[in-house]
Amino acid sequence: MQLFFKGLIRGLVPFVILLIISIWNMLHGSAATAKTFLFYSLVIFFLGLASVIYQIKQWSFIKQIIVHYMAMLITVFPVLLLYGSY
């Protein structure tokens, strides 16, 4: 549970910062820039959350790599597809 909260903090801090930048840009009329920052914030949130996978000592390095890759396929890849970065 401690790893989950550590990952949540790692993901939420940059997520909130970029979300504020996105809202700021939206209020100032730059919708394209706001959309970019919104998608960046989602990607950074998932990366921060999944970064704690490498701190699980009981797992082998290969297992950590495979689980991290699967987590990225489930979380970051769809966000990138929605944004149009393919």
Side-chain angles (χ1 to χ4, degrees):
M1 198 65 168
Q2 185 180 5
L3 280 177
F4 174 73
F5 287 124
K6 192 175 193 177
L8 200 59
I9 290 172
R10 284 182 182 180
L12 277 178
V13 170
F15 173 78
V16 169
I17 292 170
L18 287 174
L19 193 61
I20 291 170
I21 293 171
S22 175
I23 292 169
W24 179 266
N25 281 313
M26 183 62 83
L27 292 175
H28 283 50
S30 179
T33 306
K35 180 182 171 187
T36 301
F37 277 106
L38 176 67
F39 283 109
Y40 284 169
S41 68
L42 288 172
V43 169
I44 287 177
F45 172 72
F46 291 131
L47 289 174
L49 194 60
S51 68
V52 296
I53 291 172
Y54 291 105
Q55 294 183 354
I56 301 174
K57 303 283 185 203
Q58 297 87 355
W59 290 1
S60 68
F61 187 60
I62 298 296
K63 184 175 181 180
Q64 291 171 343
I65 290 172
I66 291 170
V67 170
H68 188 264
Y69 180 74
M70 297 306 285
M72 293 300 103
L73 281 179
I74 293 170
T75 58
V76 173
F77 186 62
V79 171
L80 292 176
L81 287 178
L82 285 173
Y83 179 62
S85 309
Y86 32 77

